[in-house]
Amino acid sequence: MSYRDDAAFWACPHGQDARHGCVSCYEESADPDPDLPVWDVAVWFTSDQPIPVKALQDVHRHGRRFLLDKLSAPRIYLLTGHANAAGGGQAVAGVIGFLVHNRHVVHAFTVQDTRAVRLSPSPDTPTGERVWP
Ligand SMILES: [Zn+2]
Protein backbone atom coordinates (compact mmCIF):
# COMPACT_ATOMS: atom_id res chain seq x y z
CA MET A 1 0.00 0.00 0.00
CA SER A 2 1.46 3.32 -0.98
CA TYR A 3 1.37 6.29 1.31
CA ARG A 4 -1.24 8.06 -0.79
CA ASP A 5 -3.57 5.06 -0.60
CA ASP A 6 -3.55 5.13 3.18
CA ALA A 7 -7.16 5.71 4.27
CA ALA A 8 -6.09 7.29 7.55
CA PHE A 9 -3.90 9.75 5.68
CA TRP A 10 -6.85 10.87 3.55
CA ALA A 11 -9.44 10.93 6.33
CA CYS A 12 -10.90 14.34 7.19
CA PRO A 13 -11.94 15.16 10.79
CA HIS A 14 -15.43 13.77 10.01
CA GLY A 15 -14.06 10.43 8.88
CA GLN A 16 -14.73 11.04 5.19
CA ASP A 17 -12.18 10.29 2.50
CA ALA A 18 -10.90 13.70 1.42
CA ARG A 19 -10.78 12.54 -2.20
CA HIS A 20 -14.55 12.03 -2.14
CA GLY A 21 -15.17 15.42 -0.55
CA CYS A 22 -16.88 16.28 2.73
CA VAL A 23 -19.85 18.63 2.91
CA SER A 24 -19.19 19.21 6.63
CA CYS A 25 -15.66 20.37 5.85
CA TYR A 26 -17.08 22.56 3.10
CA GLU A 27 -19.66 24.10 5.45
CA GLU A 28 -17.07 24.65 8.17
CA SER A 29 -14.84 26.42 5.67
CA ALA A 30 -17.67 28.92 5.16
CA ASP A 31 -17.11 30.16 8.71
CA PRO A 32 -13.45 29.42 9.24
CA ASP A 33 -11.40 29.74 12.36
CA PRO A 34 -9.01 32.58 11.42
CA ASP A 35 -6.28 30.97 13.49
CA LEU A 36 -6.17 28.01 11.12
CA PRO A 37 -3.71 28.07 8.25
CA VAL A 38 -4.93 28.95 4.79
CA TRP A 39 -4.48 26.34 2.07
CA ASP A 40 -4.42 26.85 -1.65
CA VAL A 41 -6.13 23.75 -3.01
CA ALA A 42 -6.28 22.42 -6.56
CA VAL A 43 -8.43 19.46 -7.59
CA TRP A 44 -8.31 17.84 -11.03
CA PHE A 45 -11.37 15.80 -11.84
CA THR A 46 -13.32 14.30 -14.68
CA SER A 47 -17.05 14.88 -15.05
CA ASP A 48 -19.44 12.29 -16.42
CA GLN A 49 -21.13 15.05 -18.41
CA PRO A 50 -19.71 18.21 -20.01
CA ILE A 51 -20.15 21.15 -17.67
CA PRO A 52 -21.84 24.13 -19.37
CA VAL A 53 -19.65 27.19 -19.74
CA LYS A 54 -22.21 29.23 -17.80
CA ALA A 55 -21.96 26.84 -14.87
CA LEU A 56 -18.18 27.18 -14.91
CA GLN A 57 -18.50 30.94 -14.83
CA ASP A 58 -21.09 30.87 -12.05
CA VAL A 59 -18.76 29.06 -9.65
CA HIS A 60 -17.00 32.26 -8.68
CA ARG A 61 -20.37 33.64 -7.48
CA HIS A 62 -20.23 31.08 -4.72
CA GLY A 63 -17.40 33.20 -3.43
CA ARG A 64 -14.49 32.18 -1.34
CA ARG A 65 -12.11 32.27 -4.26
CA PHE A 66 -13.37 29.14 -5.98
CA LEU A 67 -12.52 28.89 -9.65
CA LEU A 68 -13.51 26.12 -12.02
CA ASP A 69 -11.66 25.79 -15.30
CA LYS A 70 -11.99 23.43 -18.20
CA LEU A 71 -8.71 21.98 -19.35
CA SER A 72 -7.90 21.18 -22.94
CA ALA A 73 -8.42 17.44 -22.46
CA PRO A 74 -12.08 16.35 -22.78
CA ARG A 75 -14.12 16.52 -19.58
CA ILE A 76 -11.14 17.23 -17.37
CA TYR A 77 -11.66 20.16 -15.04
CA LEU A 78 -9.61 22.00 -12.48
CA LEU A 79 -11.21 23.39 -9.34
CA THR A 80 -9.11 25.72 -7.25
CA GLY A 81 -9.96 27.40 -3.97
CA HIS A 82 -8.69 28.60 -0.64
CA ALA A 83 -9.69 26.95 2.63
CA ASN A 84 -8.86 27.47 6.29
CA ALA A 85 -8.09 24.07 7.76
CA ALA A 86 -5.85 22.44 10.32
CA GLY A 87 -4.43 20.10 7.69
CA GLY A 88 -4.22 19.52 3.98
CA GLY A 89 -6.66 16.61 4.07
CA GLN A 90 -9.37 18.76 5.59
CA ALA A 91 -8.66 21.54 3.10
CA VAL A 92 -8.99 19.14 0.15
CA ALA A 93 -12.14 17.57 1.64
CA GLY A 94 -13.71 21.01 1.93
CA VAL A 95 -12.94 22.07 -1.63
CA ILE A 96 -14.17 18.75 -3.08
CA GLY A 97 -17.12 19.10 -0.70
CA PHE A 98 -18.02 22.16 -2.72
CA LEU A 99 -18.56 19.85 -5.70
CA VAL A 100 -20.59 17.42 -3.60
CA HIS A 101 -22.69 20.30 -2.30
CA ASN A 102 -23.29 21.68 -5.80
CA ARG A 103 -24.52 18.65 -7.70
CA HIS A 104 -26.47 20.97 -9.99
CA VAL A 105 -23.09 22.22 -11.30
CA VAL A 106 -21.23 18.92 -11.43
CA HIS A 107 -23.52 15.92 -11.53
CA ALA A 108 -20.96 13.16 -11.05
CA PHE A 109 -17.23 13.45 -10.92
CA THR A 110 -14.09 11.43 -10.37
CA VAL A 111 -11.14 13.09 -8.68
CA GLN A 112 -7.91 12.44 -10.55
CA ASP A 113 -5.41 14.38 -8.50
CA THR A 114 -5.23 16.92 -5.71
CA ARG A 115 -2.74 19.42 -4.39
CA ALA A 116 -2.78 21.52 -1.25
CA VAL A 117 -0.18 24.19 -0.54
CA ARG A 118 -0.18 25.90 2.82
CA LEU A 119 -0.14 29.64 2.39
CA SER A 120 1.53 31.88 4.87
CA PRO A 121 -0.56 32.46 8.01
CA SER A 122 2.25 34.39 9.68
CA PRO A 123 5.46 36.14 8.64
CA ASP A 124 7.69 33.37 9.92
CA THR A 125 6.08 30.77 7.65
CA PRO A 126 7.24 31.11 4.07
CA THR A 127 4.50 31.02 1.43
CA GLY A 128 4.03 27.62 -0.10
CA GLU A 129 6.35 25.97 2.37
CA ARG A 130 4.25 22.86 2.72
CA VAL A 131 2.86 20.86 -0.12
CA TRP A 132 0.27 18.20 0.65
CA PRO A 133 0.27 15.34 0.02
ZN1 LIG B 1 -14.99 16.56 6.86
Side-chain angles (χ1 to χ4, degrees):
M1 179 187 289
S2 76
Y3 183 53
R4 289 180 58 147
D5 287 335
D6 184 339
F9 174 75
W10 286 99
C12 84
H14 311 95
Q16 303 292 316
D17 188 314
R19 294 165 292 184
H20 298 159
C22 175
V23 172
S24 297
C25 282
Y26 168 68
E27 288 174 344
E28 285 180 11
S29 72
D31 184 22
D33 181 341
D35 291 333
L36 292 175
V38 178
W39 297 78
D40 184 35
V41 177
V43 176
W44 288 263
F45 67 92
T46 52
S47 171
D48 71 330
Q49 296 170 7
I51 303 173
V53 171
K54 185 177 186 311
L56 295 178
Q57 293 170 340
D58 280 350
V59 165
H60 76 272
R61 292 191 197 160
H62 294 277
R64 289 192 279 140
R65 297 154 290 182
F66 281 117
L67 279 175
L68 185 55
D69 286 316
K70 186 184 186 313
L71 302 185
S72 54
R75 297 190 190 178
I76 296 187
Y77 298 88
L78 172 62
L79 176 68
T80 53
H82 288 182
N84 290 68
Q90 186 179 359
V92 168
V95 171
I96 300 176
F98 169 81
L99 292 178
V100 177
H101 194 259
N102 290 279
R103 288 288 192 188
H104 60 283
V105 177
V106 182
H107 176 254
F109 62 90
T110 304
V111 172
Q112 304 294 324
D113 202 2
T114 66
R115 188 202 65 196
V117 177
R118 202 174 95 165
L119 301 179
S120 176
S122 61
D124 60 343
T125 306
T127 298
E129 181 194 21
R130 291 192 190 178
V131 176
W132 185 97

